[in-house]
Amino acid sequence: MPGRQTMPVKDAARLAQKLADELQLELVDVELVKEPTGRFLRFYVDTGEGVSVDELENFHRRLMPLVERVDYDYMEVSSPGADRPLKTERDFERARGMRVELNTYRAVEGAKRFAGELVGLVENAVVLALDDGRELAFPRREVAVVRPLIEFDESDLDAFFPEEGAQKENK
């Protein structure tokens, strides 16, 4: 619309943070992404125990009028998922002791991908206890992404698809 001022995404994020605080949600991330079908304004929210569809819908409904001046085509509100990247100190604290996957920008000891137990953030470095018993510290500026490692095997799938497991046993 001519003459209408748009709102920067950082201002939308600030408003979303206030609303998330009011609703006792954690605002994990905000992004405005241009895709072939249009501009997507995405908000990722969570709680310590996950977020319900009703919580997502309530957040979306209440946020929409607050960000109407952002130049976007579609607005999405969702959970960041179980394997969401760890970004904040709070994320790292919550994931302490969990198995994580860490990717670096440049090779370290001949590799760019590492898996191990997250020891935590120590002096601005991500510290992992590797499976071989060593601890490695990766300066945060050299870390591309850290995310929880979701591991499962075929027996885990049987819990979700018991009829298929029974079919295998009958063969």
Side-chain angles (χ1 to χ4, degrees):
M1 290 182 200
R4 182 172 176 216
Q5 259 191 331
T6 60
M7 175 190 294
V9 174
K10 66 179 180 158
D11 290 344
R14 189 176 38 76
L15 293 170
Q17 182 64 63
K18 283 183 181 180
L19 179 60
D21 291 345
E22 179 183 323
L23 298 175
Q24 298 180 335
L25 296 170
E26 176 187 354
L27 181 65
V28 174
D29 202 3
V30 178
E31 62 183 14
L32 180 62
V33 180
K34 186 172 178 15
E35 296 184 5
T37 56
R39 290 176 312 278
F40 287 78
L41 179 60
R42 293 189 176 111
F43 297 88
Y44 297 93
V45 295
D46 204 359
T47 68
E49 293 79 41
V51 63
S52 73
V53 173
D54 290 339
E55 289 170 313
L56 293 173
E57 178 188 7
N58 184 39
F59 184 81
H60 187 281
R61 198 171 4 87
R62 293 191 51 193
L63 182 62
M64 205 166 198
L66 300 176
V67 298
E68 65 183 8
R69 288 188 14 239
V70 175
D71 187 16
Y72 69 90
D73 299 307
Y74 305 98
M75 185 173 112
E76 296 176 351
V77 174
S78 72
S79 162
D83 65 342
R84 82 175 198 204
L86 307 179
K87 295 181 178 183
T88 66
E89 288 187 24
R90 184 176 177 186
D91 290 340
F92 282 95
E93 185 61 37
R94 193 178 349 202
R96 185 185 306 253
M98 292 176 57
R99 285 191 53 78
V100 297
E101 175 181 77
L102 180 144
N103 295 331
T104 58
Y105 291 113
R106 288 188 219 105
V108 174
E109 296 183 2
K112 288 179 146 185
R113 188 177 192 178
F114 298 86
E117 182 179 311
L118 178 64
V119 175
L121 283 177
V122 179
E123 297 178 12
N124 211 26
V126 180
V127 180
L128 290 187
L130 303 178
D131 294 336
D132 64 10
R134 295 180 303 141
E135 278 192 6
L136 280 183
F138 301 86
R140 278 185 89 172
R141 70 182 178 281
E142 296 176 16
V143 174
V145 68
V146 180
R147 67 179 76 233
L149 188 59
I150 310 293
E151 297 177 299
F152 60 93
D153 60 26
E154 197 169 318
S155 65
D156 295 321
L157 292 176
D158 291 342
F160 291 104
F161 305 103
E163 64 282 349
E164 291 181 20
Q167 290 173 1
K168 287 181 194 174
E169 290 175 10
N170 292 334
K171 287 186 177 184

